[in-house]
Amino acid sequence: MPFVVQPHNQPNTYETSEDLADQLLRVQYDFYQVLIDVFLERFTREFQDFCTENGVLCRYQAYGTPYYMGLFQGNMIPDIPESNNWIYSQSRDEAESEAYTWNQGHGYMIWNKAASTGAHISGRKITSCEAMTNVQGVFRTSLETIKQSDDMNFITGINHTVLHGFNYSPPEAGFPGWIRYGAYFNEQNTWWKYFRNWADYNARLSAVFQHSGPVAQVAILGRLDDFWAEVGPTRPPFNTRPWYYARLWEPISNLGSSCDYLHTAVLEESQPNGGKLICGNMAYSALILTDVRSLTPRAAEKILDYAMDGGKIIFTGKLPERSLSLMDAEKNDQVVKTRMRAALELGNVHLVPAPEESADLLVWTASLFERIGLDPLVHISQAVSHLYTMKQTRGEQEIYFFVNSHRSEAVEFDVSFDSGNKFPYIWDPHSGVRYALSQGKSNELRLRLDALESALVVFEAEEMDLPLYSGRVAPVKRKPLKALWKVKFEHADGSVFTREMDELIDFRTTAEEAIRSFSGTVTYSTVIEESEGHEYICLADVNEGVSELRINGESAGMKWYGNHIYEVESLWKPGSNLIEIVLTTTLANYCGSLK
């Protein structure tokens, strides 16, 4: 920084280079605090007021204020706070891994949490997201990947999806036409005819979450003010310090709880009430500060008030020890120090070491819950990193959303709820069908979610006349179907050709260029002569395609995500059986071959 701004009547107090560095941090913080406040007031608030005066809702992506600075404050202002996330912000291998690791770069899920927290605290019903964005892999994006990303949007509080990637393209532009960022939501996409399945799935869940209220147990305060002072409102670097701050929502959800991410201004207006931290429309049962070094005096006072009211508080890494502003710095530093030390003397306040980057964050977070005696919203028998949950309420209804984000593995678990004297039901958002989960009232259930499957568990005050849920599990032991297959290739470019194959292969591994570069619909057909019947047919290694299965001309169903396992017992006949598998691929192989 080439110069120092010295407030009026504020003497130079630095004697060492460390003192000078400290004052430079304070000056930079004061400058950017004013900058962001002015921006929010004269642009964001002005935009919201303009929309209100003209009778329209204001939708706003606060990450442009700029970038990570003012992200949380900006999401408190608009009618519809909007996030922005990307399907592929990592390497291709990571993005296609079995247990997806969510993006930590542009459009990471912390942006979702910032938007949904703003909506939760300010009482907004809709949190939207510019979703399915990417600049790489436009043609390899599948409905399966879209669903997987969509489920994480819901888990992080998004309830309105604004799709990125449908562009007008004139017929004379040909294939693939005018494209930009996104997932090629286009009638020329091979899976476009199945798009309605995901759209219906998304619509059902969006309706549920828009018409119910969020429940979050934990409030997280990061070192955002310290980051302002150290870095300033630049585009890069994205604030991931400490490394676990932006990821902490994940193990909290894995453990059966949920969280919001606070900023200092919200904390300064909070109120303690019976061990709860009241922030606007939300009431939190615990507060976690992640390596926070600096606080405003008012925020320090509020933390002490909450601690003295019995609130559960955890400081990770260090105890805040200073203020940030240059004005009255010495006096304000003392306020922060004394308040934080007073809070730490209480039995409900803990200072714990920060986790090493090699640590299992799920295990570490579970130890935090145990330390402060925080019971999660639901008790899951065995928490795993790919099982997520959240809770909403609507009147007397309690709504729990469970998601298995693993692409190939099912998860089965016992779960108990503190839902009183109510009746549990399960709603499959894929089909829209509801079932009773037990005969009568029960707060202890056993659930099973197949790969990439999700479910709503709803507790109702009244009993409904619904069929009892019963899930069937395909056997682990399998045998291959030995057959000669007639294969019809219907290419996306309009061409058609046929082959005969004695096994179903991965097109990318074949030496034949016509098959290796194929994208479109493939129909495999064969006749099986077996006296023994079959309960299931499992299609292995579908590679993100959409499959349909027909037995003797009758449909056994369609699969567009997860494991492609079909129940065929009722369709199988003794003797000859005609099997037809219809597989629709993504456009990746074909578009990769274009010059």
Side-chain angles (χ1 to χ4, degrees):
M1 196 168 185
F3 58 88
V4 176
V5 178
Q6 185 170 308
H8 181 61
N9 293 331
Q10 185 76 17
N12 287 324
T13 58
Y14 49 87
E15 298 178 356
T16 67
S17 59
E18 288 79 10
D19 291 333
L20 175 59
D22 180 77
Q23 290 211 14
L24 289 176
L25 286 177
R26 293 177 188 271
V27 168
Q28 184 156 289
Y29 170 79
D30 284 334
F31 175 74
Y32 290 133
Q33 178 72 58
V34 171
L35 175 67
I36 298 303
D37 286 348
V38 169
F39 181 91
L40 293 173
E41 182 62 31
R42 298 191 182 182
F43 176 76
T44 311
R45 174 59 64 186
E46 188 73 19
F47 178 42
Q48 172 64 63
D49 291 345
F50 171 82
C51 292
T52 301
E53 291 167 7
N54 287 275
V56 296
L57 294 178
C58 170
R59 183 192 305 273
Y60 177 67
Q61 292 187 13
Y63 79 91
T65 61
Y67 212 47
Y68 206 42
M69 309 303 173
L71 173 66
F72 292 85
Q73 295 93 320
N75 278 305
M76 298 287 293
I77 296 173
D79 295 314
I80 304 176
E82 181 167 287
S83 180
N84 175 9
N85 58 47
W86 292 48
I87 292 181
Y88 308 115
S89 285
Q90 298 174 295
S91 72
R92 176 167 181 158
D93 289 341
E94 290 173 312
E96 292 183 343
S97 63
E98 294 292 345
Y100 194 82
T101 301
W102 301 103
N103 299 332
Q104 296 188 53
H106 189 132
Y108 179 55
M109 293 297 172
I110 189 65
W111 293 15
N112 284 4
K113 297 299 291 184
S116 62
T117 296
H120 294 171
I121 293 173
S122 58
R124 310 299 194 191
K125 289 296 185 181
I126 297 177
T127 309
S128 66
C129 182
E130 177 189 341
M132 313 310 161
T133 313
N134 57 80
V135 293
Q136 55 179 325
V138 172
F139 300 111
R140 67 183 170 92
T141 304
S142 64
L143 286 177
E144 176 175 83
T145 298
I146 290 168
K147 181 190 184 297
Q148 188 181 32
S149 300
D150 194 35
D151 284 341
M152 287 301 99
N153 283 347
F154 285 128
I155 284 291
T156 51
I158 301 301
N159 57 29
H160 184 252
T161 303
V162 180
L163 296 181
H164 197 159
F166 195 104
N167 298 317
Y168 168 75
S169 186
E172 57 269 21
F175 178 87
W178 294 354
I179 60 170
R180 195 165 169 77
Y181 305 132
Y184 200 55
F185 294 105
N186 190 290
E187 67 273 14
Q188 295 190 90
N189 202 324
T190 49
W191 46 251
W192 185 249
K193 61 184 176 181
Y194 299 104
F195 176 74
R196 175 67 183 269
N197 293 276
W198 172 78
D200 287 347
Y201 171 84
N202 176 276
R204 293 185 185 104
L205 289 174
S206 296
V208 170
F209 298 143
Q210 287 179 23
H211 293 87
S212 57
V215 178
Q217 274 191 302
V218 181
I220 299 172
L221 183 71
R223 56 188 317 278
L224 300 183
D225 291 344
D226 288 313
F227 187 70
W228 282 28
E230 296 161 357
V231 179
T234 57
R235 287 288 290 181
F238 183 77
N239 177 32
T240 57
R241 290 182 281 174
W243 70 271
Y244 55 93
Y245 164 71
R247 294 179 53 188
L248 197 50
W249 67 269
E250 297 181 62
I252 288 175
S253 179
N254 299 150
L255 291 167
S257 185
S258 56
C259 67
D260 281 339
Y261 282 77
L262 304 187
H263 61 277
T264 302
V266 166
L267 185 59
E268 289 178 333
E269 299 301 320
S270 66
Q271 296 294 332
N273 187 350
K276 300 279 190 179
L277 184 66
I278 310 300
C279 298
N281 286 270
M282 300 300 292
Y284 304 105
S285 300
L287 173 65
I288 300 176
L289 292 87
T290 57
D291 282 289
V292 176
R293 183 188 177 200
S294 309
L295 289 169
T296 64
R298 183 169 174 78
E301 293 277 6
K302 292 293 184 177
I303 291 172
L304 180 57
D305 290 345
Y306 177 51
M308 295 179 67
D309 190 58
K312 303 176 188 295
I313 301 176
I314 288 181
F315 298 98
T316 67
K318 62 188 69 173
L319 194 69
E321 59 184 7
R322 66 193 293 272
S323 63
L324 260 172
S325 177
L326 188 59
M327 297 297 296
D328 298 321
E330 187 173 342
K331 182 180 101 173
N332 290 336
D333 284 358
Q334 193 61 29
V335 170
V336 174
K337 285 180 183 178
T338 56
R339 301 305 187 271
M340 293 300 92
R341 289 171 183 172
L344 192 57
E345 291 178 0
L346 302 173
N348 48 300
V349 180
H350 305 268
L351 174 62
V352 302
E356 300 290 338
E357 290 199 40
S358 59
D360 186 324
L361 195 55
L362 178 55
V363 172
W364 182 82
T365 307
S367 71
L368 293 190
F369 277 35
E370 184 177 357
R371 183 161 188 162
I372 61 177
L374 181 66
D375 286 328
L377 298 170
V378 295
H379 291 268
I380 298 172
S381 58
Q382 187 174 359
V384 291
S385 61
H386 53 273
L387 175 64
Y388 296 87
T389 187
M390 60 178 272
K391 180 182 179 181
Q392 302 268 122
T393 60
R394 185 184 182 212
E396 294 186 349
Q397 276 186 340
E398 296 183 33
I399 304 166
Y400 299 88
F401 183 50
F402 293 91
V403 169
N404 177 12
S405 69
H406 204 287
R407 287 178 177 257
S408 61
E409 292 182 6
V411 57
E412 191 167 355
F413 54 99
D414 295 313
V415 60
S416 60
F417 306 80
D418 185 19
S419 297
N421 203 22
K422 296 181 181 178
F423 299 89
Y425 301 90
I426 190 167
W427 180 26
D428 175 12
H430 169 75
S431 65
V433 178
R434 301 186 187 204
Y435 300 92
L437 268 174
S438 67
Q439 293 178 325
K441 302 167 183 176
S442 177
N443 286 335
E444 296 184 0
L445 303 168
R446 184 162 186 83
L447 300 177
R448 183 183 187 278
L449 297 177
D450 206 346
L452 293 185
E453 192 174 16
S454 62
L456 290 164
V457 175
V458 182
F459 283 84
E460 302 270 8
E462 302 294 332
E463 187 171 15
M464 295 184 289
D465 184 18
L466 291 174
L468 189 64
Y469 178 78
S470 62
R472 298 185 65 187
V473 180
V476 175
K477 190 174 181 180
R478 300 167 183 168
K479 65 176 184 179
L481 284 175
K482 302 285 188 181
L484 180 65
W485 298 88
K486 295 181 179 180
V487 188
K488 180 181 180 181
F489 293 83
E490 297 175 88
H491 201 291
D493 66 5
S495 63
V496 178
F497 60 94
T498 60
R499 296 288 187 275
E500 286 191 350
M501 298 180 176
D502 56 8
E503 62 177 340
L504 309 186
I505 62 171
D506 184 339
F507 296 164
R508 294 174 298 184
T509 64
T510 182
E512 186 177 351
E513 173 61 23
I515 297 177
R516 192 168 63 250
S517 62
F518 175 83
S519 292
T521 299
V522 187
T523 302
Y524 302 88
S525 60
T526 192
V527 175
I528 301 291
E529 299 280 354
E530 288 186 9
S531 58
E532 181 181 345
H534 292 274
E535 289 185 274
Y536 297 91
I537 288 181
C538 172
L539 307 181
D541 301 323
V542 174
N543 291 329
E544 299 192 274
V546 179
S547 70
E548 297 182 63
L549 179 67
R550 293 191 291 264
I551 305 293
N552 300 315
E554 294 188 51
S555 174
M558 182 268 294
K559 304 288 184 181
W560 54 278
Y561 64 86
N563 292 321
H564 292 234
I565 299 176
Y566 292 89
E567 189 175 339
V568 299
E569 186 175 21
S570 62
L571 302 177
W572 201 273
K573 300 184 304 184
S576 299
N577 286 273
L578 172 63
I579 300 176
E580 295 172 287
I581 300 168
V582 181
L583 174 66
T584 300
T585 74
T586 67
L587 281 167
N589 290 352
Y590 174 44
C591 290
S593 70
L594 297 177
K595 304 303 181 183

